[in-house]
Amino acid sequence: MKLRAIIIGIVALFIYSLIYFAYTYKSEVSQTVYEDSFFYYANNDSSAKKNSDSFLDSKNATNSNSSSPIVSYDTSLSETQENLTDISLKPSLKINHSLLDEYGNLPWTYPPDLYCKPKSFSFTDDEIKYFWNYKNYEKCKVEVLYEAEISPNSMSIKCANGASPEYFTDTRPERLGGPKIIAKWQKDLRDYPNSQYVMAKCNTNSIYSFVFNRFKKQIEDNAKIKSLKFSNNTRPLTVLLLVFDSVSRGNAYRSWPMVKDFLLNEITQKPFSEKFSFYDFANAAIPDIHTMDNMPQILLGLTLSQTESILKASTSGSSKFLEIQKKSIWNFFSELGYVTMVAHDDIFDYLPKIVGREILVDYVFTNFWKACLSVYGFQNHNTKQRCAGDQDSHYFSLNYTSQFIRNYNKSNKFVYMHSNAGHETSGNIKTVDKDLYEFLVSTLKFYDEKNGDLALFIVSDHGIKFSRLQFEDRGFYDARIPMTFMIMNKEMEENMAAKEILQYNQYQLLSRFDINLALKNVAYYPHGDLSKENYENLKKDYPVSDVVSIFREKIRNDRKCEDIKVPTFSCTCKDFEEINTSGSSEKKIIENLILLANKYIDIHKTKKSCKKIETWKVIKAKKFEMMSSKDGWDAFYDMTFIVQNNVIINTMANFCSEENKEGSKLPTTKYPETTFYIEKTNYYMQISHFEIEGNNKKEICLE
Ligand SMILES: *[C@@H]1O[C@H](CO)[C@@H](O)[C@H](O)[C@H]1NC(C)=O
Ligand SMILES: *[C@@H]1O[C@H](CO)[C@@H](O)[C@H](O)[C@H]1NC(C)=O
Ligand SMILES: *[C@@H]1O[C@H](CO)[C@@H](O)[C@H](O)[C@H]1NC(C)=O
Ligand SMILES: *[C@@H]1O[C@H](CO)[C@@H](O)[C@H](O)[C@H]1NC(C)=O
Ligand SMILES: *[C@@H]1O[C@H](CO)[C@@H](O)[C@H](O)[C@H]1NC(C)=O
Ligand SMILES: *[C@@H]1O[C@H](CO)[C@@H](O)[C@H](O)[C@H]1NC(C)=O
Ligand SMILES: *[C@@H]1O[C@H](CO)[C@@H](O)[C@H](O)[C@H]1NC(C)=O
Ligand SMILES: *[C@@H]1O[C@H](CO)[C@@H](O)[C@H](O)[C@H]1NC(C)=O
Ligand SMILES: *[C@@H]1O[C@H](CO)[C@@H](O)[C@H](O)[C@H]1NC(C)=O
């Protein structure tokens, strides 16, 4: 019996490694290969889990050559970049808080008694190049041009090469997650008026995609009937929740120069300044850097563990998922008479783990990307550019959303669009800039004169771990402050008396639950605002007592991470913390640091006979934790010792689980390393700084 289990285990492990290798290989290499046989497996739970964690990808991200990630990472540590590594070891620049924030131009004028003030930080241009190491992407290219005539009932494509195009479309129910959809090419276009996407092939390298949101009078009428139960108001409200996965606030400003300019400059000038306001919540906090920790809070108002305990490992298709969607934000809008839409470009099974595959809204748009995998060979974890014909993958989410808001211009409507354009660290996120900019301009123009009120949220679930920032506190703050932007029209802002409160809340410690409650608050707006009683009742549904709608209430100045269920390791209110040097783990860390310091002396000693550290006493012991223990416990230490003859020694060291050590290793010939066990886990430590106080910096010798 036991033997059988072991054999099954070994076989499973073997198959899994094969699949994982195949997956990694394919996703990195297959630029031209459009068919893939591994995907059938890759979507199974075990590997989907592996691939759904945003930061796992990051270790293999690379600039120069995506087909050999590890190698190119190592060789890229050339002479000049090694000097940059040394830059990364310097403590963060302390910026005068009254200066403008270089990314957001948001003056850091914190209320004087604000408890949580994340350290401000900045990166030089050279550092940005080094740390993020982004690829350059170009416009998506196709060989053969086309002309299209498109109307709601017919569509015809003329290929410039004279070929008559083949078409692929289908109308199966829209379901989140895999498997991929295999294209069946046809000479004629079938069931066009009901299809949400059409792919048209002029030749193998010229396949165009078109997406369609199909207006249905019935949907408009149903929403109207529901809405009339609450009010007779005919001025519609549009609420857009655009989620860009894995984009920190800093990364949004760095990767999207056009969007940045639009938000910070164009919106504040005519014509937009007369109609719209923009807010940038610069002090948002996250429970952890994974989608699964954040989206249940934003979408359901529940923590991940609450969600999991409700679902109790339900399998796909379980009615538990339909039950949990009763708590979803789209259901909340739907009940108040909104037409609802969800677009999701993820072909993996992780959002389905919290809400199921079937989403209860009027429009779901997601099958398109399952067809993209078979037709174009990309999925949302690829580091190669994701082109569906002449447009990037995310273009279709924005285009579909634009059509939806035009089709239902008379209705209240809610959109949750989730894009994975930034879900890995190669720099694909930069391709979003132009398309998002154009989306913003056209959307604001659409709401400028008519079409009702607008509340547009552009947020992220979390930032992402970039390996070269593994032991940088600036990297910590950058990754753990997610983008949280909001645009709304001024008329609604005035009616809600929200301006001063929103301005104030931009600096306050913001939680994911606040976003959920803000959405619920604004949902009531067409119906004459939310009563105090209803508002207080809504608050009772959260697992935290300190929750506010950002439109309605100022966040308390003394709010702390623990008040909003953000664990200490993820809390951006923190700085270096003192460690308890009598703890048994800490003792072990200190002993190993002394060992490394002695090795360091050995390597760098400037005289023939230098002494080792023989006796020592800790006089400063601080650490900065970057990752939870589950994610490898990345941390760095800053310690000062007094050794024999009253000599003072300053040291710093990087620390993480053995699996994480490749991330930003320094050259080991100069910076000694070691591994050791703490409570059955193997940890890695590398000394990154060593200095004898009073000595000339270059002089490493203990007399
Ligand atoms: C993946 O899932 C499918 C369908 O559930 C199953 O038939 C297949 O055997 C699974 N593959 C692996 C490698 O577990
Ligand atoms: C990175 O790539 C290497 C070599 O292809 C592979 O062995 C390793 O498992 C990959 N790591 C991750 C986290 O994907
Ligand atoms: C990647 O490396 C391979 C093998 O060394 C080489 O043939 C290819 O041109 C490289 N690609 C890029 C984009 O540098
Ligand atoms: C890098 O450091 C070395 C040694 O300190 C120095 O000689 C070299 O000029 C530096 N390179 C750059 C680009 O700063
Ligand atoms: C910060 O800036 C303010 C205003 O420019 C200035 O008065 C103050 O001296 C500065 N503080 C530091 C520490 O540079
Ligand atoms: C809408 O108007 C009708 C007719 O004036 C009125 O009877 C009804 O109560 C109104 N509905 C709401 C929700 O105010
Ligand atoms: C959607 O994309 C198509 C093809 O690029 C374009 O012609 C159309 O104007 C777009 N629709 C909207 C509403 O942006
Ligand atoms: C919706 O669009 C139509 C056509 O452009 C326009 O006539 C109508 O006024 C719009 N509805 C609203 C409520 O603005
Ligand atoms: C430090 O750790 C020791 C040993 O675990 C414990 O006895 C002591 O209470 C701790 N001190 C503080 C201040 O936490």
Side-chain angles (χ1 to χ4, degrees), residues 96-99:
N96 190 334
H97 272 212
S98 65
L99 293 178

Side-chain angles (χ1 to χ4, degrees), residues 236-274:
L237 167 64
T238 303
V239 179
L240 304 178
L241 174 63
L242 309 186
V243 178
F244 287 90
D245 207 288
S246 312
V247 183
S248 69
R249 173 174 180 267
N251 205 355
Y253 282 125
R254 285 188 299 269
S255 301
W256 296 342
M258 291 172 82
V259 169
K260 173 182 175 179
D261 187 61
F262 180 76
L263 296 175
L264 303 178
N265 300 319
E266 286 186 51
I267 274 194
T268 55
Q269 282 164 28
K270 285 180 184 178
F272 292 128
S273 62
E274 294 178 346

Side-chain angles (χ1 to χ4, degrees), residues 68-192:
S68 52
I70 291 296
V71 174
S72 60
Y73 178 78
D74 284 342
T75 53
S76 69
L77 276 175
S78 64
E79 190 60 22
T80 54
Q81 286 185 326
E82 221 174 276
N83 292 1
L84 279 172
T85 310
D86 291 332
I87 289 178
S88 79
L89 295 173
K90 285 185 193 156
S92 306
L93 294 167
K94 297 276 188 295
I95 295 175
N96 190 334
H97 272 212
S98 65
L99 293 178
L100 295 185
D101 170 11
E102 84 166 31
Y103 297 119
N105 289 353
L106 187 67
W108 288 94
T109 45
Y110 289 117
D113 47 356
L114 180 62
Y115 171 81
C116 179
K117 300 185 184 87
K119 257 201 305 206
S120 59
F121 55 91
S122 74
F123 297 95
T124 64
D125 288 348
D126 281 346
E127 286 176 328
I128 289 170
K129 271 191 212 127
Y130 174 76
F131 286 134
W132 278 274
N133 198 21
Y134 279 159
K135 290 191 209 179
N136 281 317
Y137 294 94
E138 309 203 328
K139 201 174 161 9
C140 291
K141 284 195 207 87
V142 277
E143 284 174 2
V144 180
L145 298 180
Y146 74 100
E147 277 174 42
E149 270 176 42
I150 299 174
S151 78
N153 293 312
S154 73
M155 169 169 175
S156 82
I157 299 283
K158 284 204 185 80
C159 301
N161 61 353
S164 29
E166 288 183 278
Y167 295 100
F168 170 62
T169 182
D170 76 353
T171 59
R172 72 189 76 191
E174 294 275 346
R175 294 286 182 268
L176 286 187
K180 73 174 174 182
I181 294 173
I182 307 285
K184 293 199 189 77
W185 297 99
Q186 315 262 351
K187 280 284 159 205
D188 53 336
L189 191 49
R190 294 188 190 164
D191 211 10
Y192 168 74

Side-chain angles (χ1 to χ4, degrees), residues 426-643:
S426 67
N428 258 309
I429 190 61
K430 293 198 299 182
T431 63
V432 172
D433 190 30
K434 177 181 146 294
D435 295 326
L436 181 57
Y437 168 76
E438 283 169 6
F439 174 85
L440 291 175
V441 171
S442 77
T443 303
L444 294 206
K445 279 191 179 149
F446 186 69
Y447 288 95
D448 192 9
E449 284 301 319
K450 42 182 191 185
N451 299 309
D453 296 303
L454 174 71
L456 165 53
F457 290 80
I458 309 171
V459 307
S460 185
D461 47 356
H462 54 78
I464 192 169
K465 172 178 164 176
F466 284 80
S467 53
R468 292 178 181 191
L469 282 157
Q470 186 178 4
F471 301 111
E472 252 288 330
D473 53 350
R474 290 178 294 169
F476 172 85
Y477 295 112
D478 189 74
R480 299 210 181 233
I481 299 177
M483 157 177 74
T484 315
F485 299 153
M486 202 267 296
I487 298 169
M488 76 189 293
N489 64 308
K490 289 208 151 122
E491 189 177 330
M492 179 163 67
E493 182 186 76
E494 258 166 50
N495 290 338
M496 292 177 86
K499 191 183 177 76
E500 194 224 326
I501 299 168
L502 287 165
Q503 274 173 346
Y504 186 88
N505 284 339
Q506 290 187 106
Y507 302 94
Q508 304 294 118
L509 182 65
L510 180 80
S511 85
R512 319 320 261 148
F513 300 116
D514 299 332
I515 296 177
N516 183 272
L517 184 55
L519 289 166
K520 290 176 174 169
N521 180 184
V522 80
Y524 272 98
Y525 174 75
H527 304 313
D529 215 1
L530 179 62
S531 69
K532 171 115 179 94
E533 194 191 345
N534 281 345
Y535 178 64
E536 294 303 327
N537 277 338
L538 285 177
K539 285 187 173 184
K540 289 182 190 145
D541 279 345
Y542 294 90
V544 293
S545 56
D546 186 1
V547 55
V548 307
S549 155
I550 52 174
F551 295 103
R552 187 165 173 136
E553 221 184 317
K554 288 183 179 170
I555 295 170
R556 282 174 24 225
N557 262 337
D558 59 349
R559 185 186 262 190
K560 299 181 175 62
C561 285
E562 66 229 47
D563 300 330
I564 54 172
K565 285 204 184 291
V566 168
T568 312
F569 69 79
S570 196
C571 182
T572 45
C573 316
K574 76 175 181 190
D575 201 336
F576 275 86
E577 59 187 297
E578 300 276 344
I579 63 172
N580 176 355
T581 52
S582 32
S584 63
S585 313
E586 287 79 2
K587 273 190 176 152
K588 209 153 187 180
I589 287 166
I590 293 167
E591 279 163 20
N592 277 282
L593 182 52
I594 293 291
L595 181 126
L596 292 178
N598 275 331
K599 283 193 190 169
Y600 192 95
I601 295 172
D602 230 24
I603 295 173
H604 298 269
K605 63 184 174 201
T606 43
K607 289 182 189 145
K608 264 218 173 98
S609 61
C610 294
K611 286 213 166 77
K612 293 202 164 199
I613 299 171
E614 283 153 4
T615 61
W616 43 267
K617 202 176 139 216
V618 180
I619 54 175
K620 181 177 94 182
K622 288 186 165 185
K623 79 165 169 184
F624 195 100
E625 233 173 75
M626 305 276 293
M627 285 285 160
S628 69
S629 54
K630 165 176 99 145
D631 286 330
W633 213 7
D634 300 0
F636 46 98
Y637 286 84
D638 180 356
M639 292 202 208
T640 301
F641 302 95
I642 181 159
V643 304

